[in-house]
Short mmCIF file of all heavy atoms in Angstrom, two decimals:
data_model
loop_
_atom_site.label_atom_id
_atom_site.label_comp_id
_atom_site.label_asym_id
_atom_site.label_seq_id
_atom_site.Cartn_x
_atom_site.Cartn_y
_atom_site.Cartn_z
N LEU A 847 -66.51 2.21 -9.87
CA LEU A 847 -66.13 2.11 -11.25
C LEU A 847 -67.32 2.17 -12.17
O LEU A 847 -68.38 1.71 -11.80
CB LEU A 847 -65.44 0.76 -11.49
CG LEU A 847 -64.01 0.56 -10.94
CD1 LEU A 847 -63.57 -0.86 -11.15
CD2 LEU A 847 -63.04 1.52 -11.58
N PRO A 848 -67.11 2.75 -13.32
CA PRO A 848 -68.22 2.72 -14.30
C PRO A 848 -68.55 1.29 -14.76
O PRO A 848 -67.71 0.40 -14.62
CB PRO A 848 -67.66 3.45 -15.50
CG PRO A 848 -66.44 4.20 -15.06
CD PRO A 848 -65.95 3.44 -13.86
N ALA A 849 -69.74 1.12 -15.19
CA ALA A 849 -70.15 -0.22 -15.73
C ALA A 849 -69.19 -0.63 -16.88
O ALA A 849 -68.64 0.24 -17.56
CB ALA A 849 -71.56 -0.17 -16.22
N ALA A 850 -69.02 -1.92 -17.07
CA ALA A 850 -68.10 -2.40 -18.10
C ALA A 850 -68.40 -1.80 -19.47
O ALA A 850 -67.46 -1.47 -20.21
CB ALA A 850 -68.12 -3.95 -18.13
N LYS A 851 -69.64 -1.63 -19.83
CA LYS A 851 -70.00 -1.11 -21.11
C LYS A 851 -69.56 0.36 -21.31
O LYS A 851 -69.39 0.87 -22.37
CB LYS A 851 -71.48 -1.24 -21.42
CG LYS A 851 -72.37 -0.41 -20.46
CD LYS A 851 -73.82 -0.54 -20.82
CE LYS A 851 -74.74 0.28 -19.95
NZ LYS A 851 -74.51 1.68 -20.01
N ASP A 852 -69.36 1.02 -20.13
CA ASP A 852 -68.95 2.42 -20.19
C ASP A 852 -67.44 2.65 -20.14
O ASP A 852 -66.95 3.76 -20.23
CB ASP A 852 -69.59 3.21 -19.05
CG ASP A 852 -71.14 3.26 -19.16
OD1 ASP A 852 -71.65 3.32 -20.31
OD2 ASP A 852 -71.81 3.22 -18.10
N ARG A 853 -66.69 1.51 -19.99
CA ARG A 853 -65.20 1.61 -19.92
C ARG A 853 -64.73 1.34 -21.38
O ARG A 853 -64.52 0.18 -21.77
CB ARG A 853 -64.66 0.59 -18.97
CG ARG A 853 -64.97 1.01 -17.54
CD ARG A 853 -64.39 0.02 -16.54
NE ARG A 853 -65.50 -0.82 -16.06
CZ ARG A 853 -65.41 -2.00 -15.58
NH1 ARG A 853 -64.27 -2.61 -15.54
NH2 ARG A 853 -66.45 -2.64 -15.15
N THR A 854 -64.46 2.37 -22.05
CA THR A 854 -64.01 2.24 -23.47
C THR A 854 -62.63 2.86 -23.65
O THR A 854 -62.22 3.72 -22.84
CB THR A 854 -64.99 2.91 -24.44
OG1 THR A 854 -64.96 4.31 -24.21
CG2 THR A 854 -66.41 2.37 -24.30
N PRO A 855 -61.86 2.48 -24.64
CA PRO A 855 -60.57 3.08 -24.94
C PRO A 855 -60.70 4.61 -25.14
O PRO A 855 -59.88 5.38 -24.70
CB PRO A 855 -60.08 2.38 -26.14
CG PRO A 855 -60.72 1.03 -26.12
CD PRO A 855 -62.08 1.32 -25.52
N ALA A 856 -61.78 5.01 -25.81
CA ALA A 856 -61.96 6.44 -26.06
C ALA A 856 -62.13 7.22 -24.77
O ALA A 856 -61.56 8.34 -24.61
CB ALA A 856 -63.16 6.65 -27.01
N LYS A 857 -62.92 6.67 -23.83
CA LYS A 857 -63.05 7.33 -22.55
C LYS A 857 -61.83 7.36 -21.70
O LYS A 857 -61.50 8.38 -21.05
CB LYS A 857 -64.20 6.69 -21.76
CG LYS A 857 -65.60 7.05 -22.38
CD LYS A 857 -66.69 6.50 -21.56
CE LYS A 857 -68.04 6.90 -22.20
NZ LYS A 857 -69.18 6.53 -21.42
N LEU A 858 -61.02 6.30 -21.76
CA LEU A 858 -59.74 6.25 -21.11
C LEU A 858 -58.82 7.36 -21.73
O LEU A 858 -58.17 8.10 -20.95
CB LEU A 858 -59.07 4.94 -21.24
CG LEU A 858 -57.66 4.82 -20.64
CD1 LEU A 858 -57.67 5.12 -19.15
CD2 LEU A 858 -57.09 3.39 -20.91
N ASP A 859 -58.78 7.44 -23.04
CA ASP A 859 -57.93 8.42 -23.67
C ASP A 859 -58.35 9.84 -23.26
O ASP A 859 -57.49 10.69 -22.99
CB ASP A 859 -58.05 8.24 -25.20
CG ASP A 859 -57.03 9.16 -25.92
OD1 ASP A 859 -55.83 9.08 -25.59
OD2 ASP A 859 -57.47 9.90 -26.83
N ARG A 860 -59.66 10.03 -23.18
CA ARG A 860 -60.18 11.40 -22.76
C ARG A 860 -59.75 11.71 -21.34
O ARG A 860 -59.32 12.79 -21.06
CB ARG A 860 -61.67 11.46 -22.90
CG ARG A 860 -62.26 12.81 -22.84
CD ARG A 860 -63.68 12.88 -23.23
NE ARG A 860 -63.96 11.54 -23.82
CZ ARG A 860 -65.15 11.03 -24.14
NH1 ARG A 860 -66.21 11.71 -23.90
NH2 ARG A 860 -65.29 9.85 -24.67
N ALA A 861 -59.82 10.71 -20.49
CA ALA A 861 -59.46 10.92 -19.05
C ALA A 861 -57.93 11.19 -18.96
O ALA A 861 -57.50 12.10 -18.25
CB ALA A 861 -59.78 9.72 -18.26
N LEU A 862 -57.16 10.47 -19.73
CA LEU A 862 -55.72 10.72 -19.70
C LEU A 862 -55.37 12.10 -20.24
O LEU A 862 -54.46 12.76 -19.74
CB LEU A 862 -54.98 9.61 -20.45
CG LEU A 862 -55.12 8.21 -19.82
CD1 LEU A 862 -54.44 7.13 -20.73
CD2 LEU A 862 -54.48 8.20 -18.44
N THR A 863 -56.09 12.52 -21.32
CA THR A 863 -55.86 13.87 -21.84
C THR A 863 -56.15 14.90 -20.78
O THR A 863 -55.42 15.86 -20.59
CB THR A 863 -56.71 14.07 -23.06
OG1 THR A 863 -56.28 13.17 -24.09
CG2 THR A 863 -56.63 15.48 -23.59
N ASP A 864 -57.24 14.71 -20.00
CA ASP A 864 -57.59 15.63 -18.95
C ASP A 864 -56.50 15.70 -17.89
O ASP A 864 -56.15 16.76 -17.40
CB ASP A 864 -58.89 15.25 -18.27
CG ASP A 864 -60.12 15.45 -19.19
OD1 ASP A 864 -60.02 16.18 -20.23
OD2 ASP A 864 -61.21 14.91 -18.84
N LEU A 865 -55.93 14.51 -17.57
CA LEU A 865 -54.82 14.51 -16.55
C LEU A 865 -53.60 15.26 -17.07
O LEU A 865 -52.96 15.94 -16.29
CB LEU A 865 -54.49 13.07 -16.19
CG LEU A 865 -55.53 12.31 -15.42
CD1 LEU A 865 -55.08 10.85 -15.22
CD2 LEU A 865 -55.80 12.96 -14.06
N ARG A 866 -53.30 15.09 -18.39
CA ARG A 866 -52.14 15.81 -18.94
C ARG A 866 -52.34 17.29 -18.91
O ARG A 866 -51.32 18.00 -18.93
CB ARG A 866 -51.93 15.34 -20.38
CG ARG A 866 -51.31 13.98 -20.53
CD ARG A 866 -50.99 13.70 -22.00
NE ARG A 866 -51.02 12.30 -22.27
CZ ARG A 866 -51.98 11.62 -22.83
NH1 ARG A 866 -53.05 12.23 -23.31
NH2 ARG A 866 -51.89 10.33 -23.00
N GLU A 867 -53.53 17.78 -18.86
CA GLU A 867 -53.81 19.21 -18.91
C GLU A 867 -53.87 19.84 -17.49
O GLU A 867 -54.08 21.07 -17.33
CB GLU A 867 -55.13 19.46 -19.63
CG GLU A 867 -55.00 19.14 -21.12
CD GLU A 867 -56.33 19.23 -21.84
OE1 GLU A 867 -57.38 19.58 -21.24
OE2 GLU A 867 -56.32 19.03 -23.08
N LEU A 868 -53.71 19.06 -16.43
CA LEU A 868 -53.64 19.58 -15.09
C LEU A 868 -52.47 20.55 -14.92
O LEU A 868 -51.45 20.44 -15.63
CB LEU A 868 -53.47 18.45 -14.05
CG LEU A 868 -54.67 17.54 -13.85
CD1 LEU A 868 -54.30 16.41 -12.93
CD2 LEU A 868 -55.82 18.31 -13.25
N ALA A 869 -52.58 21.46 -13.96
CA ALA A 869 -51.45 22.33 -13.65
C ALA A 869 -50.31 21.49 -13.08
O ALA A 869 -50.51 20.41 -12.51
CB ALA A 869 -51.91 23.33 -12.56
N PRO A 870 -49.06 21.92 -13.34
CA PRO A 870 -47.88 21.16 -12.94
C PRO A 870 -47.93 20.73 -11.45
O PRO A 870 -47.60 19.59 -11.12
CB PRO A 870 -46.74 22.07 -13.21
CG PRO A 870 -47.22 22.93 -14.31
CD PRO A 870 -48.69 23.14 -14.06
N ARG A 871 -48.33 21.56 -10.55
CA ARG A 871 -48.38 21.25 -9.13
C ARG A 871 -49.42 20.13 -8.87
O ARG A 871 -49.18 19.23 -8.05
CB ARG A 871 -48.66 22.49 -8.27
CG ARG A 871 -48.68 22.17 -6.82
CD ARG A 871 -47.27 21.80 -6.30
NE ARG A 871 -47.41 21.30 -4.91
CZ ARG A 871 -46.82 20.21 -4.49
NH1 ARG A 871 -46.03 19.51 -5.23
NH2 ARG A 871 -47.02 19.82 -3.22
N MET A 872 -50.51 20.18 -9.59
CA MET A 872 -51.57 19.16 -9.37
C MET A 872 -51.07 17.80 -9.94
O MET A 872 -51.32 16.74 -9.36
CB MET A 872 -52.83 19.52 -10.08
CG MET A 872 -53.55 20.68 -9.40
SD MET A 872 -53.93 20.41 -7.63
CE MET A 872 -55.00 19.05 -7.69
N LYS A 873 -50.32 17.86 -11.05
CA LYS A 873 -49.77 16.61 -11.58
C LYS A 873 -48.78 16.00 -10.55
O LYS A 873 -48.80 14.78 -10.31
CB LYS A 873 -48.99 16.89 -12.89
CG LYS A 873 -49.91 17.20 -14.03
CD LYS A 873 -48.99 17.47 -15.26
CE LYS A 873 -49.78 17.90 -16.43
NZ LYS A 873 -48.86 18.11 -17.59
N GLN A 874 -47.96 16.83 -9.95
CA GLN A 874 -46.99 16.32 -8.97
C GLN A 874 -47.74 15.67 -7.74
O GLN A 874 -47.34 14.64 -7.27
CB GLN A 874 -46.12 17.46 -8.49
CG GLN A 874 -45.01 17.03 -7.54
CD GLN A 874 -44.00 16.07 -8.21
OE1 GLN A 874 -43.58 16.27 -9.32
NE2 GLN A 874 -43.62 14.99 -7.49
N ARG A 875 -48.76 16.34 -7.28
CA ARG A 875 -49.54 15.83 -6.17
C ARG A 875 -50.24 14.56 -6.52
O ARG A 875 -50.33 13.63 -5.70
CB ARG A 875 -50.56 16.89 -5.73
CG ARG A 875 -49.86 18.13 -5.08
CD ARG A 875 -50.79 19.02 -4.39
NE ARG A 875 -51.35 18.27 -3.26
CZ ARG A 875 -52.20 18.79 -2.37
NH1 ARG A 875 -52.50 20.08 -2.47
NH2 ARG A 875 -52.72 18.10 -1.42
N LEU A 876 -50.76 14.43 -7.74
CA LEU A 876 -51.40 13.21 -8.18
C LEU A 876 -50.34 12.06 -8.24
O LEU A 876 -50.62 10.96 -7.76
CB LEU A 876 -52.00 13.38 -9.54
CG LEU A 876 -52.81 12.24 -10.15
CD1 LEU A 876 -53.95 11.83 -9.24
CD2 LEU A 876 -53.28 12.59 -11.54
N LEU A 877 -49.15 12.35 -8.69
CA LEU A 877 -48.09 11.34 -8.71
C LEU A 877 -47.68 10.92 -7.30
O LEU A 877 -47.48 9.76 -6.99
CB LEU A 877 -46.89 11.81 -9.51
CG LEU A 877 -45.76 10.79 -9.61
CD1 LEU A 877 -46.22 9.57 -10.40
CD2 LEU A 877 -44.56 11.38 -10.32
N GLU A 878 -47.61 11.87 -6.41
CA GLU A 878 -47.30 11.57 -5.00
C GLU A 878 -48.37 10.71 -4.39
O GLU A 878 -48.07 9.79 -3.64
CB GLU A 878 -47.15 12.89 -4.25
CG GLU A 878 -45.87 13.68 -4.60
CD GLU A 878 -45.88 15.07 -4.05
OE1 GLU A 878 -46.83 15.49 -3.30
OE2 GLU A 878 -44.90 15.83 -4.32
N ALA A 879 -49.61 10.94 -4.72
CA ALA A 879 -50.73 10.14 -4.16
C ALA A 879 -50.59 8.69 -4.74
O ALA A 879 -50.80 7.74 -4.01
CB ALA A 879 -52.07 10.71 -4.57
N ALA A 880 -50.27 8.55 -6.03
CA ALA A 880 -50.07 7.23 -6.61
C ALA A 880 -48.93 6.51 -5.89
O ALA A 880 -49.00 5.31 -5.67
CB ALA A 880 -49.86 7.37 -8.09
N ALA A 881 -47.86 7.24 -5.60
CA ALA A 881 -46.71 6.64 -4.91
C ALA A 881 -47.05 6.15 -3.50
O ALA A 881 -46.60 5.12 -3.09
CB ALA A 881 -45.55 7.64 -4.86
N VAL A 882 -47.93 6.86 -2.82
CA VAL A 882 -48.36 6.48 -1.51
C VAL A 882 -49.13 5.17 -1.64
O VAL A 882 -48.95 4.24 -0.83
CB VAL A 882 -49.26 7.56 -0.85
CG1 VAL A 882 -49.99 6.98 0.37
CG2 VAL A 882 -48.45 8.75 -0.47
N ILE A 883 -49.98 5.00 -2.66
CA ILE A 883 -50.70 3.77 -2.85
C ILE A 883 -49.73 2.65 -3.14
O ILE A 883 -49.84 1.54 -2.55
CB ILE A 883 -51.70 3.95 -4.03
CG1 ILE A 883 -52.82 4.93 -3.57
CG2 ILE A 883 -52.31 2.62 -4.39
CD1 ILE A 883 -53.65 5.42 -4.74
N VAL A 884 -48.76 2.86 -4.03
CA VAL A 884 -47.82 1.81 -4.38
C VAL A 884 -47.00 1.40 -3.14
O VAL A 884 -46.71 0.23 -2.97
CB VAL A 884 -46.91 2.31 -5.47
CG1 VAL A 884 -45.69 1.41 -5.66
CG2 VAL A 884 -47.66 2.37 -6.80
N ALA A 885 -46.67 2.35 -2.27
CA ALA A 885 -45.82 2.07 -1.15
C ALA A 885 -46.60 1.64 0.13
O ALA A 885 -45.98 1.42 1.11
CB ALA A 885 -44.98 3.31 -0.81
N TYR A 886 -47.90 1.45 -0.01
CA TYR A 886 -48.68 1.20 1.18
C TYR A 886 -48.24 -0.09 1.95
O TYR A 886 -48.21 -0.06 3.15
CB TYR A 886 -50.16 0.94 0.72
CG TYR A 886 -51.08 0.60 1.92
CD1 TYR A 886 -51.51 1.61 2.75
CD2 TYR A 886 -51.50 -0.66 2.08
CE1 TYR A 886 -52.31 1.32 3.84
CE2 TYR A 886 -52.34 -0.98 3.17
CZ TYR A 886 -52.73 0.03 4.02
OH TYR A 886 -53.53 -0.26 5.08
N ASP A 887 -47.77 -1.07 1.20
CA ASP A 887 -47.32 -2.31 1.87
C ASP A 887 -45.80 -2.22 2.17
O ASP A 887 -45.23 -3.28 2.57
CB ASP A 887 -47.69 -3.55 1.11
CG ASP A 887 -47.02 -3.61 -0.27
OD1 ASP A 887 -46.34 -2.62 -0.66
OD2 ASP A 887 -47.25 -4.56 -0.98
N HIS A 888 -45.18 -1.08 1.96
CA HIS A 888 -43.71 -0.88 2.23
C HIS A 888 -42.80 -1.67 1.29
O HIS A 888 -41.67 -1.90 1.62
CB HIS A 888 -43.37 -1.19 3.70
CG HIS A 888 -44.18 -0.35 4.67
ND1 HIS A 888 -43.93 0.95 4.88
CD2 HIS A 888 -45.25 -0.67 5.42
CE1 HIS A 888 -44.77 1.43 5.76
NE2 HIS A 888 -45.61 0.45 6.12
N GLU A 889 -43.38 -2.13 0.18
CA GLU A 889 -42.54 -2.80 -0.81
C GLU A 889 -43.06 -2.44 -2.18
O GLU A 889 -44.26 -2.39 -2.40
CB GLU A 889 -42.62 -4.31 -0.58
CG GLU A 889 -41.60 -5.07 -1.42
CD GLU A 889 -41.54 -6.52 -1.05
OE1 GLU A 889 -41.81 -6.86 0.11
OE2 GLU A 889 -41.22 -7.29 -1.97
N VAL A 890 -42.12 -2.14 -3.10
CA VAL A 890 -42.45 -1.82 -4.45
C VAL A 890 -42.09 -2.98 -5.35
O VAL A 890 -40.89 -3.36 -5.44
CB VAL A 890 -41.76 -0.50 -4.90
CG1 VAL A 890 -42.05 -0.18 -6.33
CG2 VAL A 890 -42.13 0.63 -3.99
N THR A 891 -43.05 -3.56 -5.99
CA THR A 891 -42.78 -4.66 -6.94
C THR A 891 -42.32 -4.10 -8.24
O THR A 891 -42.55 -2.90 -8.52
CB THR A 891 -44.06 -5.49 -7.18
OG1 THR A 891 -45.01 -4.71 -7.90
CG2 THR A 891 -44.62 -6.07 -5.86
N PRO A 892 -41.65 -4.89 -9.11
CA PRO A 892 -41.23 -4.39 -10.44
C PRO A 892 -42.42 -3.84 -11.23
O PRO A 892 -42.32 -2.76 -11.90
CB PRO A 892 -40.62 -5.62 -11.11
CG PRO A 892 -40.11 -6.40 -9.96
CD PRO A 892 -41.15 -6.23 -8.88
N ALA A 893 -43.55 -4.55 -11.18
CA ALA A 893 -44.75 -4.11 -11.95
C ALA A 893 -45.25 -2.73 -11.39
O ALA A 893 -45.64 -1.87 -12.16
CB ALA A 893 -45.82 -5.14 -11.90
N GLU A 894 -45.24 -2.60 -10.08
CA GLU A 894 -45.72 -1.31 -9.52
C GLU A 894 -44.78 -0.16 -9.90
O GLU A 894 -45.22 0.91 -10.19
CB GLU A 894 -45.79 -1.44 -7.98
CG GLU A 894 -46.87 -2.31 -7.47
CD GLU A 894 -46.78 -2.62 -6.03
OE1 GLU A 894 -45.67 -2.61 -5.42
OE2 GLU A 894 -47.84 -2.91 -5.39
N ALA A 895 -43.47 -0.43 -9.80
CA ALA A 895 -42.47 0.61 -10.22
C ALA A 895 -42.64 0.97 -11.66
O ALA A 895 -42.59 2.21 -12.02
CB ALA A 895 -41.04 0.09 -9.92
N ASP A 896 -42.83 0.01 -12.52
CA ASP A 896 -43.02 0.30 -13.91
C ASP A 896 -44.28 1.10 -14.20
O ASP A 896 -44.27 2.05 -14.99
CB ASP A 896 -43.06 -1.00 -14.77
CG ASP A 896 -41.72 -1.67 -14.90
OD1 ASP A 896 -40.71 -1.03 -14.62
OD2 ASP A 896 -41.73 -2.89 -15.30
N LEU A 897 -45.38 0.74 -13.54
CA LEU A 897 -46.62 1.45 -13.73
C LEU A 897 -46.46 2.90 -13.20
O LEU A 897 -46.97 3.83 -13.83
CB LEU A 897 -47.72 0.71 -12.99
CG LEU A 897 -49.14 1.29 -13.16
CD1 LEU A 897 -49.50 1.31 -14.66
CD2 LEU A 897 -50.10 0.47 -12.39
N LEU A 898 -45.83 3.10 -12.09
CA LEU A 898 -45.63 4.42 -11.56
C LEU A 898 -44.80 5.26 -12.48
O LEU A 898 -45.09 6.43 -12.70
CB LEU A 898 -45.00 4.36 -10.13
CG LEU A 898 -45.10 5.59 -9.27
CD1 LEU A 898 -46.51 6.08 -9.13
CD2 LEU A 898 -44.46 5.33 -7.93
N ARG A 899 -43.69 4.67 -13.01
CA ARG A 899 -42.88 5.40 -14.02
C ARG A 899 -43.68 5.79 -15.24
O ARG A 899 -43.53 6.86 -15.75
CB ARG A 899 -41.67 4.56 -14.37
CG ARG A 899 -40.58 4.51 -13.36
CD ARG A 899 -39.34 3.84 -13.95
NE ARG A 899 -38.49 3.45 -12.83
CZ ARG A 899 -38.45 2.27 -12.22
NH1 ARG A 899 -39.19 1.32 -12.64
NH2 ARG A 899 -37.67 2.06 -11.21
N ALA A 900 -44.46 4.85 -15.71
CA ALA A 900 -45.29 5.15 -16.89
C ALA A 900 -46.28 6.26 -16.63
O ALA A 900 -46.45 7.15 -17.44
CB ALA A 900 -46.01 3.87 -17.34
N PHE A 901 -46.84 6.27 -15.41
CA PHE A 901 -47.80 7.30 -15.05
C PHE A 901 -47.09 8.67 -14.96
O PHE A 901 -47.58 9.70 -15.38
CB PHE A 901 -48.49 6.95 -13.67
CG PHE A 901 -49.63 7.82 -13.35
CD1 PHE A 901 -50.64 8.07 -14.20
CD2 PHE A 901 -49.71 8.37 -12.09
CE1 PHE A 901 -51.71 8.85 -13.87
CE2 PHE A 901 -50.81 9.21 -11.75
CZ PHE A 901 -51.79 9.40 -12.65
N ALA A 902 -45.91 8.67 -14.37
CA ALA A 902 -45.09 9.91 -14.27
C ALA A 902 -44.77 10.42 -15.65
O ALA A 902 -44.88 11.62 -15.96
CB ALA A 902 -43.81 9.67 -13.50
N ASP A 903 -44.38 9.52 -16.56
CA ASP A 903 -44.09 9.89 -17.98
C ASP A 903 -45.32 10.48 -18.64
O ASP A 903 -45.24 11.47 -19.31
CB ASP A 903 -43.51 8.69 -18.70
CG ASP A 903 -43.01 9.02 -20.07
OD1 ASP A 903 -42.16 9.96 -20.16
OD2 ASP A 903 -43.46 8.44 -21.09
N LEU A 904 -46.45 9.82 -18.46
CA LEU A 904 -47.68 10.31 -19.03
C LEU A 904 -48.03 11.73 -18.59
O LEU A 904 -48.41 12.55 -19.36
CB LEU A 904 -48.85 9.36 -18.65
CG LEU A 904 -50.23 9.86 -19.06
CD1 LEU A 904 -50.64 9.13 -20.32
CD2 LEU A 904 -51.21 9.70 -18.00
N LEU A 905 -47.76 11.94 -17.27
CA LEU A 905 -48.03 13.30 -16.76
C LEU A 905 -46.98 14.29 -17.08
O LEU A 905 -47.16 15.47 -16.92
CB LEU A 905 -48.21 13.23 -15.19
CG LEU A 905 -49.40 12.44 -14.72
CD1 LEU A 905 -49.34 12.35 -13.17
CD2 LEU A 905 -50.73 13.05 -15.15
N GLY A 906 -45.81 13.82 -17.49
CA GLY A 906 -44.69 14.72 -17.73
C GLY A 906 -44.07 15.22 -16.50
O GLY A 906 -43.62 16.36 -16.43
N VAL A 907 -44.09 14.39 -15.42
CA VAL A 907 -43.62 14.77 -14.11
C VAL A 907 -42.38 13.95 -13.77
O VAL A 907 -42.38 12.74 -13.94
CB VAL A 907 -44.64 14.53 -13.03
CG1 VAL A 907 -44.17 14.84 -11.64
CG2 VAL A 907 -45.93 15.38 -13.31
N PRO A 908 -41.31 14.54 -13.31
CA PRO A 908 -40.10 13.75 -12.94
C PRO A 908 -40.43 12.88 -11.73
O PRO A 908 -41.19 13.21 -10.88
CB PRO A 908 -39.05 14.77 -12.60
CG PRO A 908 -39.78 16.07 -12.38
CD PRO A 908 -41.06 15.97 -13.11
N MET A 909 -39.77 11.69 -11.74
CA MET A 909 -39.97 10.78 -10.69
C MET A 909 -38.62 10.25 -10.16
O MET A 909 -37.80 9.94 -11.01
CB MET A 909 -40.77 9.54 -11.10
CG MET A 909 -41.20 8.65 -10.04
SD MET A 909 -42.08 7.25 -10.68
CE MET A 909 -40.93 5.95 -10.26
N PRO A 910 -38.45 10.27 -8.88
CA PRO A 910 -37.14 9.76 -8.33
C PRO A 910 -37.07 8.30 -8.61
O PRO A 910 -38.06 7.60 -8.75
CB PRO A 910 -37.24 10.06 -6.83
CG PRO A 910 -38.65 10.28 -6.56
CD PRO A 910 -39.31 10.76 -7.82
N PRO A 911 -35.87 7.76 -8.72
CA PRO A 911 -35.68 6.34 -8.98
C PRO A 911 -36.25 5.45 -7.91
O PRO A 911 -36.19 5.78 -6.71
CB PRO A 911 -34.13 6.14 -9.12
CG PRO A 911 -33.57 7.40 -8.64
CD PRO A 911 -34.58 8.48 -8.54
N LEU A 912 -36.81 4.32 -8.31
CA LEU A 912 -37.28 3.28 -7.40
C LEU A 912 -36.62 2.02 -7.81
O LEU A 912 -36.49 1.71 -9.02
CB LEU A 912 -38.77 3.11 -7.47
CG LEU A 912 -39.64 4.12 -6.83
CD1 LEU A 912 -41.10 3.84 -7.12
CD2 LEU A 912 -39.45 4.15 -5.33
N LEU A 913 -36.19 1.22 -6.86
CA LEU A 913 -35.63 -0.09 -7.22
C LEU A 913 -36.65 -1.17 -6.97
O LEU A 913 -37.33 -1.20 -5.92
CB LEU A 913 -34.39 -0.36 -6.31
CG LEU A 913 -33.26 0.64 -6.42
CD1 LEU A 913 -32.19 0.35 -5.36
CD2 LEU A 913 -32.70 0.63 -7.84
N PRO A 914 -36.84 -2.09 -7.89
CA PRO A 914 -37.81 -3.16 -7.69
C PRO A 914 -37.47 -3.94 -6.45
O PRO A 914 -36.30 -4.22 -6.15
CB PRO A 914 -37.60 -4.08 -8.95
CG PRO A 914 -37.06 -3.12 -9.97
CD PRO A 914 -36.23 -2.13 -9.26
N GLY A 915 -38.47 -4.20 -5.64
CA GLY A 915 -38.32 -4.94 -4.40
C GLY A 915 -37.84 -4.00 -3.26
O GLY A 915 -37.62 -4.54 -2.15
N GLN A 916 -37.65 -2.76 -3.49
CA GLN A 916 -37.12 -1.82 -2.52
C GLN A 916 -38.10 -1.76 -1.36
O GLN A 916 -39.31 -1.62 -1.51
CB GLN A 916 -36.98 -0.48 -3.18
CG GLN A 916 -36.59 0.67 -2.22
CD GLN A 916 -36.48 2.00 -2.96
OE1 GLN A 916 -36.53 2.03 -4.17
NE2 GLN A 916 -36.31 3.06 -2.24
N ARG A 917 -37.54 -1.85 -0.14
CA ARG A 917 -38.36 -1.69 1.08
C ARG A 917 -38.39 -0.19 1.36
O ARG A 917 -37.43 0.45 1.37
CB ARG A 917 -37.72 -2.45 2.22
CG ARG A 917 -37.63 -3.94 2.11
CD ARG A 917 -38.86 -4.73 2.35
NE ARG A 917 -39.39 -4.54 3.67
CZ ARG A 917 -40.58 -4.95 3.99
NH1 ARG A 917 -41.40 -5.50 3.10
NH2 ARG A 917 -41.07 -4.74 5.22
N LEU A 918 -39.60 0.31 1.61
CA LEU A 918 -39.73 1.73 1.95
C LEU A 918 -40.04 1.86 3.44
O LEU A 918 -40.66 1.07 4.01
CB LEU A 918 -40.91 2.31 1.11
CG LEU A 918 -40.72 2.15 -0.36
CD1 LEU A 918 -42.00 2.69 -1.06
CD2 LEU A 918 -39.51 2.91 -0.89
N THR A 919 -39.51 2.98 4.01
CA THR A 919 -39.75 3.16 5.43
C THR A 919 -40.84 4.16 5.65
O THR A 919 -41.19 4.94 4.82
CB THR A 919 -38.45 3.69 6.13
OG1 THR A 919 -38.01 4.85 5.47
CG2 THR A 919 -37.40 2.61 6.09
#
């Protein structure tokens, strides 16, 4: 991670803008990678599901429904 002084709202906004400009297939792959991280423990908490949905929305990528507390196989 960058040093705390280098983590600014402007830099976050720039990084998110860069992510929005990815090719559609790369956006989908990035969301799939995020889903793998969320599902690592085979359980999706409400906060994890909300964050994943927000990330999908930010990227403009459709996301299948997830139920809070859902066990994943």
Side-chain angles (χ1 to χ4, degrees):
L847 285 174
K851 68 178 179 62
D852 295 326
R853 290 180 255 156
T854 65
K857 288 186 179 183
L858 175 61
D859 189 52
R860 194 169 347 168
L862 295 175
T863 297
D864 290 346
L865 291 176
R866 284 187 207 104
E867 294 174 358
L868 289 172
R871 182 67 190 134
M872 290 305 297
K873 289 179 184 181
Q874 184 65 43
R875 292 191 63 176
L876 184 58
L877 183 62
E878 289 168 2
V882 167
I883 293 167
V884 166
Y886 179 76
D887 62 359
H888 302 285
E889 190 170 332
V890 178
T891 67
E894 290 170 333
D896 288 345
L897 186 58
L898 196 55
R899 282 188 197 95
F901 191 51
D903 187 55
L904 173 100
L905 294 175
V907 176
M909 188 181 115
L912 284 176
L913 300 173
Q916 174 180 351
R917 299 279 302 167
L918 303 176
T919 57

